[in-house]
Amino acid sequence: MNTQATETEIQALIDTYRQAVMAKDVEKVMALYDDNIVSFDAIQALQFKGKVAYRTHWEACMEMCPGPHKFDFHQVQITPADNIAFAHWLAYCGGTNDKGEEQACWMRVTACYKRSAGQWKIVHEHWSAPFDPMAGTAIFDLQP
């Protein structure tokens, strides 16, 4: 196993993912997911199972912010193995609303990747924000 090569491949996939979201290219984003993706996204549903369900979610996300997107990744850590890899990072994400106001916050991200037929795909991802259990609200103003 060449862990450096795997780490480089996963970093390239993460970079492609980020660029596709910034370009609002749902097709390119969806091409990075395994058909059986399971996502615990921070918005709306408890979970999304499969590309069809997740595509609908991505399309809705793109419509929420008609202006430019924010999708900045910090502290990316990749753990590579033969045919599976994991990564986590902090993301400053959101976008610009129709009034030109930025609506973005820090999120935590964990992603799992699997190599099948020589190609890496995202098989699981988890986006979350810390939350205050006493107030029952997410905490969006924390900084790394």
Side-chain angles (χ1 to χ4, degrees):
M1 176 182 80
N2 184 341
T3 58
Q4 183 59 48
T6 297
E7 187 170 342
T8 299
E9 291 170 1
I10 296 300
Q11 183 62 60
L13 191 151
I14 292 169
D15 293 343
T16 298
Y17 172 71
R18 183 182 168 279
Q19 292 163 5
V21 171
M22 295 288 292
K24 299 183 183 184
D25 188 340
V26 174
E27 290 302 318
K28 194 170 186 178
V29 171
M30 296 313 300
L32 303 172
Y33 290 113
D34 183 81
D35 288 343
N36 298 310
I37 177 71
V38 174
S39 178
F40 301 154
D41 202 294
I43 300 173
Q44 297 178 1
L46 183 62
Q47 64 183 339
F48 297 92
K49 289 185 176 183
K51 282 175 96 168
V52 173
Y54 209 33
R55 172 187 294 279
T56 301
H57 173 71
W58 268 110
E59 290 168 348
C61 285
M62 297 299 181
E63 291 174 8
M64 278 187 225
C65 298
H69 273 129
K70 286 278 188 188
F71 214 56
D72 301 328
F73 296 173
H74 301 268
Q75 302 176 20
V76 176
Q77 296 291 312
I78 300 168
T79 304
D82 278 339
N83 291 315
I84 196 162
F86 302 90
H88 61 86
W89 61 88
L90 297 175
Y92 186 72
C93 60
T96 306
N97 66 21
D98 55 0
K99 297 174 187 166
E101 302 165 329
E102 181 180 290
Q103 298 175 312
C105 65
W106 286 97
M107 301 292 287
R108 305 170 294 194
V109 184
T110 302
C112 305
Y113 308 89
K114 183 177 178 183
R115 185 183 352 233
S116 181
Q119 188 173 17
W120 288 101
K121 294 287 186 173
I122 306 166
V123 294
H124 177 72
E125 66 182 9
H126 188 138
W127 287 77
S128 67
F131 101 105
D132 179 341
M134 299 306 284
T137 58
I139 305 170
F140 291 116
D141 59 352
L142 296 177
Q143 300 291 317

